[in-house]
């Protein structure tokens, strides 16, 4: 949980953070979209 | 362990990117948003406990009531202890709720599920919902609507993730369960495994948020941001109002009415969405043009509108202004409800579009509320004030379904209703929105006597 001041690890942390929530949200949106597209 | 999460040890070092905060907040809201996906395993619960749908539905109701109560009661504690400790406590309660719930399922004790998922998990919901909000506002003083919209969008998105995930997990744990068949139910063992998986999985994801969450230093400002620019905006205060004083103001209670009316109207559609689309397109022979499976897809589409509205409308409020955007939610919402009642049964696509925009306003109302509170009461204890405001959600969660179901019960039996049966309920919602519209018009700046005494600059918040 420690903070880092160097640029590279901070960038990696930022990318990993957004990637996690993007994957989670993307999964939900795509699954819902597929279901809706099949049904409509 | 908990001392390490104190606010004093959570201050961001120089150079810390504020864009780490939205995903940290999202990782909590995406998890607790699962509460909107409980209908996925409702039938399996009914079969496993051999109880009524109402008895199983009580689990959700307890969780939502506990959300409002714990947010209201725990808001000041969250402000005092900071977001990391609050998010950690939320994760513990939320995960413990699933684990106790799993015990209740395995022993067939429904009361244990009430206690676990409902009460314990509900506390996790309330603390988790408000814990990142005030911190986000402090990191994004220039765009509070965008920041809170991002996080609260996650609460809507949580159901989008949990619904398909739960179906897929139940299929994996019970080969006899077919999620595409409405009457198929999962075994008790599969339900236990699902609850254990979700509890552990959500805890890990929420810990990711705890690890990344930081509060800004007292003198931190975003690059290029001039605090004086806030003074130039009407209905945006630079003063500080405590939570204790906020609830003594007329402004707070007007905003409470605004949120209550907006949520009551939206939740009425959300709760009835699946049977509603079938009833609107029921022919003279009593059969609906819309199949049960299509209705389920419609619920998913509404969830997408709900989620998108949280981000898009809240972000737009930064440019349009909070009071004006609520005039849109409530005023345009009235027109849309009237259209839904009068011509909603003409074409399925029109029905879906009208209901979708209404649900986007419902989500937008939730997401814009913290920024509206910031504008009126300052950042000092905005999280605690937000927690108290969420009691409007609990009240609306009871009132909305009561209004809709009360009118529908008087119109006939479920499965035989048509579009005209919904008109009294929908026109009542127009009236409810009108009350909210007037309340919003009456919102005025908080009188100076409620402001905290300061030495010239806005009082710094403790969260």
């Amino acid at each position: 949980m420690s903070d880092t001041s160097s640029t590279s690890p901070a960038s990696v942390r930022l990318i990993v953070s957004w990637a996690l929530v993007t994957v989670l949200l993307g999964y939900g949106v795509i699954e819902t979209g597929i279901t809706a597209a099949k049904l409509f | 362990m908990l001392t390490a999460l104190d606010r004093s040890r959570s201050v961001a070092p120089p150079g810390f990117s504020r864009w780490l905060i939205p995903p940290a907040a999202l990782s909590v809201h995406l998890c607790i948003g699962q509460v909107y996906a409980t209908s996925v395993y409702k039938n399996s619960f009914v079969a496993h406990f051999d109880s009524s749908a109402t008895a199983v539905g009580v689990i959700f109701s307890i969780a939502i009531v506990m959300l409002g109560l714990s947010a209201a009661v725990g808001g000041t504690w969250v402000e005092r202890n900071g977001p990391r400790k609050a998010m950690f406590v939320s994760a513990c309660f939320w995960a413990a709720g699933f684990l106790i719930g799993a015990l209740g399922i395995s022993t067939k004790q429904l009361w244990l599920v009430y206690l676990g998922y409902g009460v314990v998990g509900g506390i996790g919901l309330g603390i988790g919902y408000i814990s990142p909000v005030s911190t986000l506002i402090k990191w994004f003083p220039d765009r509070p609507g965008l920041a809170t919209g991002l996080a609260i969008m996650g609460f809507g998105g949580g159901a989008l993730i949990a619904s398909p995930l739960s179906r897929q997990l139940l299929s994996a744990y019970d080969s006899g369960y077919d999620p595409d068949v409405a009457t198929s139910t999962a075994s008790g063992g599969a339900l236990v495994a699902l609850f254990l998986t979700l509890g552990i999985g959500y805890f890990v994801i929420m810990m990711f948020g705890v690890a990344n969450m930081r509060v800004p230093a007292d003198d931190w400002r975003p690059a290029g941001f001039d605090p004086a620019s806030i003074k130039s905006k009407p209905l945006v205060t630079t003063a500080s109002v405590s939570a204790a004083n906020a609830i003594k103001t007329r402004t707070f209670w007007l905003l409470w009415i605004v949120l209550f009316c907006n949520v009551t109207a939206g939740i009425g559609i959300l709760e009835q969405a699946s049977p509603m689309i079938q009833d609107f397109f029921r022919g003279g022979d009593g059969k609906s043009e819309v199949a049960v499976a299509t209705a389920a897809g419609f619920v998913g589409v509404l969830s997408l509108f709900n989620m998108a509205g949280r981000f898009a409308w809240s972000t737009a409020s930064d440019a349009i202004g909070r009071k004006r955007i609520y005039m849109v939610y409530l005023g345009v919402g009235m027109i849309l409800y009237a259209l839904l009642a009068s011509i909603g049964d003409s074409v399925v696509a029109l029905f879906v579009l009208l209901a979708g925009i209404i649900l986007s306003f419902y989500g937008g109302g939730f997401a814009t509320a913290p920024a509206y509170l910031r504008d009126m009461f300052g950042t000092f204890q905005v999280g605690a004030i937000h927690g108290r405001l969420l009691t409007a959600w609990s009240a609306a969660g009871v009132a909305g379904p009561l209004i809709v179901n009360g009118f529908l019960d008087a119109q006939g039996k479920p499965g035989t209703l048509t579009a005209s049966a919904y008109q009294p309920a929908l026109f009542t919602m127009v009236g409810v929105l009108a009350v909210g519209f007037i309340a919003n018009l009456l919102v005025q700046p908080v009188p100076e006597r409620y402001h905290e005494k300061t030495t010239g600059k806005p009082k710094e918040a403790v969260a």
Side-chain angles (χ1 to χ4, degrees):
Chain A
M1 289 188 192
S2 64
D3 287 305
T4 54
S5 55
S6 58
T7 307
S8 186
S11 300
V12 170
R13 193 176 184 184
L14 194 63
I15 291 165
V16 170
S17 298
W18 279 103
L20 174 71
V21 296
T22 304
V23 166
L24 288 171
L25 261 178
Y27 163 78
V29 170
I30 290 169
E31 284 285 338
T32 304
I34 289 170
T35 308
K38 277 182 189 169
L39 296 170
F40 286 101
Chain B
M1 170 64 189
L2 283 180
T3 312
L5 302 173
D6 279 345
R7 180 190 183 274
S8 58
R9 301 178 72 168
S10 305
V11 179
F16 184 87
S17 172
R18 64 173 173 165
W19 290 101
L20 272 167
I21 305 304
L26 268 169
S27 59
V28 170
H29 273 235
L30 284 172
C31 293
I32 60 177
Q34 184 276 346
V35 72
Y36 275 148
T38 51
S39 61
V40 171
Y41 44 75
K42 190 174 182 180
N43 286 345
S44 300
F45 264 55
V46 170
H48 177 69
F49 286 104
D50 193 20
S51 63
S52 67
T54 305
V56 170
V58 168
I59 302 168
F60 171 79
S61 300
I62 293 174
I64 292 297
V65 169
M66 288 307 297
L67 185 159
L69 290 178
S70 58
V73 173
T76 309
W77 180 87
V78 171
E79 290 285 5
R80 198 168 51 243
N81 288 278
R84 295 180 80 195
K85 190 183 279 187
M87 286 161 68
F88 177 75
V89 169
S90 164
C92 292
F93 272 91
W94 186 230
F98 277 101
L99 300 186
I100 298 169
L103 182 66
I105 299 166
S106 65
T107 55
K108 285 202 171 185
Q109 301 289 320
L110 188 55
W111 69 270
L112 257 180
V113 185
Y114 288 162
L115 174 69
Y117 187 91
V119 177
V120 177
I123 294 170
L125 276 176
I127 301 295
Y129 192 91
I130 60 171
S131 58
V133 169
S134 68
T135 306
L136 276 164
I137 288 174
K138 283 153 205 155
W139 275 111
F140 290 86
D142 47 342
R143 296 149 95 182
L146 175 141
T148 57
L150 262 174
I152 294 175
M153 171 187 78
F155 197 78
L160 290 185
I161 298 165
S163 293
L165 181 64
S166 298
R167 280 195 295 267
Q168 287 166 359
L169 284 172
L170 286 174
S171 296
Y173 294 141
D174 180 0
S175 56
Y177 172 69
D178 184 352
D180 293 327
V181 178
T183 54
S184 180
T185 56
S187 67
L191 290 170
V192 170
L194 173 71
F195 265 50
L196 291 176
T197 308
L198 292 180
I200 294 166
Y202 283 145
F203 184 80
V204 171
I205 294 169
M206 290 168 87
M207 282 301 104
F208 190 81
V210 173
N212 280 335
M213 182 57 80
R214 293 291 184 278
V215 293
D218 287 346
D219 58 350
W220 180 86
R221 298 281 179 274
F225 174 68
D226 177 11
S229 63
I230 291 177
K231 288 181 183 170
S232 64
K233 294 182 180 178
L235 278 175
V236 182
T237 186
T238 54
S240 302
V241 181
S242 69
N245 274 338
I247 58 169
K248 296 174 189 167
T249 65
R250 195 175 72 155
T251 305
F252 176 85
W253 291 106
L254 286 171
L255 290 177
W256 195 97
I257 293 169
V258 167
L259 185 66
F260 172 79
C261 293
N262 195 51
V263 177
T264 297
I267 221 165
I269 281 195
L270 202 57
E271 195 257 353
Q272 192 65 19
S274 180
M276 190 174 177
I277 191 170
Q278 294 176 73
D279 292 339
F280 260 66
F281 298 95
R282 194 177 302 285
D285 58 355
K287 289 185 178 176
S288 177
E289 290 174 33
V290 180
V292 175
T294 309
F298 169 63
V299 174
V301 171
L302 286 189
S303 298
L304 279 175
F305 273 99
N306 180 6
M307 187 184 79
R310 287 168 191 250
F311 178 66
W313 293 122
S314 184
T315 303
S317 76
D318 285 338
I320 298 170
R322 251 58 83 172
K323 191 168 184 174
R324 286 184 188 148
I325 202 88
Y326 272 95
M327 286 168 72
V328 172
Y329 299 157
L330 299 157
V332 178
M334 286 162 61
I335 297 167
L336 294 176
Y337 261 97
L339 288 173
L340 195 65
S342 50
I343 58 168
D345 59 343
S346 54
V347 188
V348 173
L350 178 67
F351 176 88
V352 172
L353 184 67
L354 290 172
I357 299 172
I358 286 172
L359 258 292
S360 78
F361 289 160
Y362 166 81
F366 272 121
T368 316
Y372 207 167
L373 292 174
R374 194 290 304 250
D375 290 356
M376 306 310 300
F377 302 103
T379 58
F380 174 44
Q381 289 191 337
V382 66
I385 299 169
H386 184 218
R388 285 157 174 77
L389 190 77
L390 291 181
T391 53
W393 182 2
S394 296
V398 176
L402 265 183
I403 292 171
V404 173
N405 292 326
F407 277 112
L408 294 183
D409 285 345
Q411 298 288 325
K413 288 184 177 177
T416 62
L417 300 174
T418 58
S420 60
Y422 285 81
Q423 284 181 341
L426 292 175
F427 282 121
T428 301
M429 292 306 182
V430 173
V432 168
L433 288 171
V435 171
F437 188 84
I438 293 166
N440 185 51
L441 282 181
L442 295 174
V443 169
Q444 295 291 327
V446 175
E448 214 168 286
R449 65 179 181 277
Y450 294 110
H451 294 176
E452 293 294 299
K453 302 289 179 287
T454 63
T455 53
K457 68 172 190 174
K459 192 164 183 172
E460 286 301 339
V462 290

